Short mmCIF file of all heavy atoms in Angstrom, two decimals:
data_model
loop_
_atom_site.label_atom_id
_atom_site.label_comp_id
_atom_site.label_asym_id
_atom_site.label_seq_id
_atom_site.Cartn_x
_atom_site.Cartn_y
_atom_site.Cartn_z
N VAL A 1 -11.98 12.30 4.79
CA VAL A 1 -10.55 12.31 5.11
C VAL A 1 -10.26 11.41 6.30
O VAL A 1 -9.27 10.67 6.32
CB VAL A 1 -10.06 13.74 5.38
CG1 VAL A 1 -8.63 13.73 5.91
CG2 VAL A 1 -10.13 14.58 4.12
N ILE A 2 -11.11 11.47 7.32
CA ILE A 2 -10.92 10.63 8.50
C ILE A 2 -10.97 9.15 8.12
O ILE A 2 -10.15 8.33 8.58
CB ILE A 2 -11.98 10.96 9.56
CG1 ILE A 2 -11.77 12.38 10.10
CG2 ILE A 2 -11.94 9.95 10.71
CD1 ILE A 2 -12.89 12.87 10.98
N PHE A 3 -11.94 8.80 7.29
CA PHE A 3 -12.05 7.41 6.84
C PHE A 3 -10.80 6.98 6.06
O PHE A 3 -10.25 5.90 6.29
CB PHE A 3 -13.30 7.25 5.96
CG PHE A 3 -13.51 5.86 5.45
CD1 PHE A 3 -14.09 4.89 6.25
CD2 PHE A 3 -13.13 5.51 4.16
CE1 PHE A 3 -14.28 3.60 5.79
CE2 PHE A 3 -13.31 4.22 3.68
CZ PHE A 3 -13.90 3.26 4.50
N ALA A 4 -10.38 7.85 5.13
CA ALA A 4 -9.19 7.54 4.35
C ALA A 4 -7.94 7.49 5.23
O ALA A 4 -7.05 6.65 5.03
CB ALA A 4 -9.01 8.59 3.24
N HIS A 5 -7.89 8.38 6.22
CA HIS A 5 -6.76 8.41 7.14
C HIS A 5 -6.64 7.09 7.89
O HIS A 5 -5.54 6.54 8.03
CB HIS A 5 -6.97 9.56 8.13
CG HIS A 5 -5.75 9.89 8.95
ND1 HIS A 5 -4.56 10.26 8.39
CD2 HIS A 5 -5.55 9.90 10.29
CE1 HIS A 5 -3.67 10.49 9.34
NE2 HIS A 5 -4.26 10.28 10.51
N GLY A 6 -7.76 6.57 8.34
CA GLY A 6 -7.74 5.28 9.01
C GLY A 6 -7.36 4.14 8.08
O GLY A 6 -6.64 3.22 8.47
N ALA A 7 -7.85 4.21 6.84
CA ALA A 7 -7.53 3.16 5.87
C ALA A 7 -6.05 3.09 5.56
O ALA A 7 -5.50 2.02 5.32
CB ALA A 7 -8.33 3.38 4.58
N GLY A 8 -5.40 4.25 5.58
CA GLY A 8 -3.97 4.28 5.23
C GLY A 8 -3.05 4.21 6.43
O GLY A 8 -2.21 3.32 6.54
N GLU A 9 -3.23 5.12 7.37
CA GLU A 9 -2.27 5.27 8.46
C GLU A 9 -2.30 4.13 9.46
O GLU A 9 -1.26 3.74 9.98
CB GLU A 9 -2.53 6.60 9.19
CG GLU A 9 -2.50 7.84 8.30
CD GLU A 9 -1.11 8.17 7.81
OE1 GLU A 9 -0.14 7.68 8.40
OE2 GLU A 9 -0.99 8.93 6.83
N VAL A 10 -3.48 3.58 9.75
CA VAL A 10 -3.56 2.50 10.73
C VAL A 10 -2.77 1.28 10.25
O VAL A 10 -2.11 0.60 11.04
CB VAL A 10 -5.03 2.12 11.01
CG1 VAL A 10 -5.11 0.87 11.87
CG2 VAL A 10 -5.74 3.27 11.71
N GLY A 11 -2.82 1.03 8.95
CA GLY A 11 -2.08 -0.10 8.41
C GLY A 11 -0.58 0.04 8.59
O GLY A 11 0.13 -0.96 8.80
N TYR A 12 -0.07 1.27 8.53
CA TYR A 12 1.36 1.49 8.72
C TYR A 12 1.81 1.16 10.13
O TYR A 12 2.96 0.78 10.35
CB TYR A 12 1.73 2.95 8.41
CG TYR A 12 1.28 3.43 7.07
CD1 TYR A 12 1.01 4.77 6.84
CD2 TYR A 12 1.12 2.55 6.00
CE1 TYR A 12 0.59 5.23 5.60
CE2 TYR A 12 0.69 3.00 4.76
CZ TYR A 12 0.43 4.34 4.57
OH TYR A 12 0.02 4.79 3.36
N MET A 13 0.90 1.33 11.09
CA MET A 13 1.24 1.01 12.47
C MET A 13 0.97 -0.45 12.79
O MET A 13 1.75 -1.09 13.50
CB MET A 13 0.44 1.92 13.42
CG MET A 13 0.81 3.38 13.32
SD MET A 13 -0.20 4.44 14.40
CE MET A 13 -1.71 4.53 13.44
N ALA A 14 -0.14 -0.97 12.27
CA ALA A 14 -0.51 -2.36 12.58
C ALA A 14 0.45 -3.35 11.95
O ALA A 14 0.76 -4.39 12.56
CB ALA A 14 -1.94 -2.62 12.12
N GLY A 15 0.92 -3.06 10.74
CA GLY A 15 1.81 -3.99 10.05
C GLY A 15 3.10 -4.27 10.80
O GLY A 15 3.42 -5.43 11.12
N PRO A 16 3.90 -3.24 11.12
CA PRO A 16 5.14 -3.48 11.88
C PRO A 16 4.89 -4.07 13.26
O PRO A 16 5.64 -4.95 13.70
CB PRO A 16 5.75 -2.08 11.98
CG PRO A 16 5.19 -1.33 10.83
CD PRO A 16 3.80 -1.85 10.65
N LEU A 17 3.82 -3.62 13.93
CA LEU A 17 3.52 -4.16 15.26
C LEU A 17 3.17 -5.64 15.17
O LEU A 17 3.61 -6.45 16.03
CB LEU A 17 2.38 -3.37 15.90
CG LEU A 17 1.98 -3.78 17.32
CD1 LEU A 17 3.17 -3.66 18.25
CD2 LEU A 17 0.83 -2.90 17.82
N ALA A 18 2.41 -6.03 14.17
CA ALA A 18 2.07 -7.44 13.99
C ALA A 18 3.31 -8.27 13.68
O ALA A 18 3.47 -9.40 14.17
CB ALA A 18 1.04 -7.59 12.88
N THR A 19 4.21 -7.72 12.86
CA THR A 19 5.45 -8.43 12.54
C THR A 19 6.29 -8.66 13.78
O THR A 19 6.82 -9.76 14.01
CB THR A 19 6.26 -7.63 11.51
OG1 THR A 19 5.48 -7.45 10.32
CG2 THR A 19 7.56 -8.35 11.15
N ILE A 20 6.41 -7.63 14.62
CA ILE A 20 7.17 -7.76 15.86
C ILE A 20 6.51 -8.79 16.78
O ILE A 20 7.19 -9.63 17.39
CB ILE A 20 7.27 -6.39 16.57
CG1 ILE A 20 8.11 -5.42 15.74
CG2 ILE A 20 7.85 -6.55 17.97
CD1 ILE A 20 8.11 -4.01 16.27
N TRP A 21 5.18 -8.75 16.86
CA TRP A 21 4.46 -9.67 17.74
C TRP A 21 4.69 -11.12 17.34
O TRP A 21 5.04 -11.96 18.18
CB TRP A 21 2.97 -9.34 17.73
CG TRP A 21 2.09 -10.43 18.28
CD1 TRP A 21 1.27 -11.26 17.58
CD2 TRP A 21 1.98 -10.82 19.66
NE1 TRP A 21 0.63 -12.14 18.42
CE2 TRP A 21 1.06 -11.89 19.71
CE3 TRP A 21 2.56 -10.37 20.83
CZ2 TRP A 21 0.71 -12.51 20.89
CZ3 TRP A 21 2.21 -10.99 22.03
CH2 TRP A 21 1.29 -12.06 22.04
N PHE A 22 4.54 -11.42 16.06
CA PHE A 22 4.71 -12.80 15.62
C PHE A 22 6.18 -13.24 15.67
O PHE A 22 6.46 -14.41 15.91
CB PHE A 22 4.17 -12.96 14.20
CG PHE A 22 2.67 -13.05 14.13
CD1 PHE A 22 1.93 -12.01 13.60
CD2 PHE A 22 2.00 -14.16 14.61
CE1 PHE A 22 0.55 -12.07 13.54
CE2 PHE A 22 0.62 -14.24 14.56
CZ PHE A 22 -0.11 -13.19 14.03
N THR A 23 7.11 -12.31 15.46
CA THR A 23 8.52 -12.66 15.55
C THR A 23 8.91 -13.04 16.96
O THR A 23 9.61 -14.03 17.20
CB THR A 23 9.39 -11.48 15.07
OG1 THR A 23 9.07 -11.17 13.71
CG2 THR A 23 10.88 -11.84 15.15
N VAL A 24 8.44 -12.26 17.93
CA VAL A 24 8.74 -12.55 19.34
C VAL A 24 8.00 -13.81 19.79
O VAL A 24 8.56 -14.65 20.51
CB VAL A 24 8.37 -11.34 20.22
CG1 VAL A 24 8.51 -11.69 21.69
CG2 VAL A 24 9.23 -10.14 19.87
N LYS A 25 6.74 -13.96 19.36
CA LYS A 25 5.93 -15.10 19.82
C LYS A 25 6.40 -16.42 19.24
O LYS A 25 6.49 -17.43 19.96
CB LYS A 25 4.46 -14.86 19.44
CG LYS A 25 3.50 -15.95 19.93
CD LYS A 25 2.06 -15.54 19.72
CE LYS A 25 1.71 -15.53 18.24
NZ LYS A 25 1.55 -16.92 17.70
N ASP A 26 6.71 -16.44 17.94
CA ASP A 26 7.05 -17.69 17.27
C ASP A 26 8.55 -17.87 17.05
O ASP A 26 8.98 -18.97 16.68
CB ASP A 26 6.34 -17.78 15.91
CG ASP A 26 4.83 -17.73 16.05
OD1 ASP A 26 4.32 -18.05 17.15
OD2 ASP A 26 4.15 -17.36 15.07
N GLY A 27 9.32 -16.80 17.23
CA GLY A 27 10.75 -16.90 16.97
C GLY A 27 11.08 -17.01 15.50
O GLY A 27 12.18 -17.44 15.14
N THR A 28 10.16 -16.62 14.64
CA THR A 28 10.35 -16.70 13.19
C THR A 28 9.93 -15.40 12.54
O THR A 28 8.90 -14.82 12.91
CB THR A 28 9.51 -17.85 12.59
OG1 THR A 28 9.88 -19.08 13.23
CG2 THR A 28 9.75 -17.95 11.09
N LEU A 29 10.74 -14.94 11.59
CA LEU A 29 10.40 -13.73 10.86
C LEU A 29 9.65 -14.12 9.59
O LEU A 29 10.23 -14.68 8.66
CB LEU A 29 11.66 -12.94 10.50
CG LEU A 29 11.45 -11.67 9.68
CD1 LEU A 29 10.56 -10.69 10.43
CD2 LEU A 29 12.78 -11.02 9.31
N TYR A 30 8.36 -13.87 9.57
CA TYR A 30 7.52 -14.22 8.42
C TYR A 30 7.60 -13.12 7.35
O TYR A 30 7.75 -11.93 7.65
CB TYR A 30 6.07 -14.40 8.85
CG TYR A 30 5.86 -15.52 9.85
CD1 TYR A 30 5.67 -15.24 11.21
CD2 TYR A 30 5.87 -16.85 9.45
CE1 TYR A 30 5.48 -16.24 12.13
CE2 TYR A 30 5.67 -17.87 10.37
CZ TYR A 30 5.49 -17.57 11.72
OH TYR A 30 5.30 -18.58 12.62
N SER A 31 7.48 -13.54 6.10
CA SER A 31 7.47 -12.57 5.00
C SER A 31 6.13 -11.86 4.90
O SER A 31 6.06 -10.77 4.32
CB SER A 31 7.78 -13.28 3.67
OG SER A 31 6.81 -14.29 3.40
N LYS A 32 5.08 -12.46 5.45
CA LYS A 32 3.76 -11.85 5.42
C LYS A 32 2.99 -12.28 6.66
O LYS A 32 3.02 -13.45 7.03
CB LYS A 32 3.00 -12.26 4.16
CG LYS A 32 1.62 -11.61 4.02
CD LYS A 32 0.92 -12.09 2.76
CE LYS A 32 1.66 -11.62 1.52
NZ LYS A 32 0.89 -11.96 0.28
#
């Protein structure tokens, strides 16, 4: 369960955070 939890839940946090990071850094909203 812990392994599966990391596989699923971490992605939900990393995805939006990465989008915000690249949007602020590059000034562009990427689709991926």
Side-chain angles (χ1 to χ4, degrees):
V1 172
I2 293 171
F3 180 81
H5 192 59
E9 304 289 342
V10 172
Y12 307 152
M13 294 178 282
L17 183 58
T19 301
I20 294 173
W21 164 253
F22 283 109
T23 300
V24 173
K25 183 171 70 75
D26 300 338
T28 302
L29 178 60
Y30 299 102
S31 60
K32 182 181 294 186

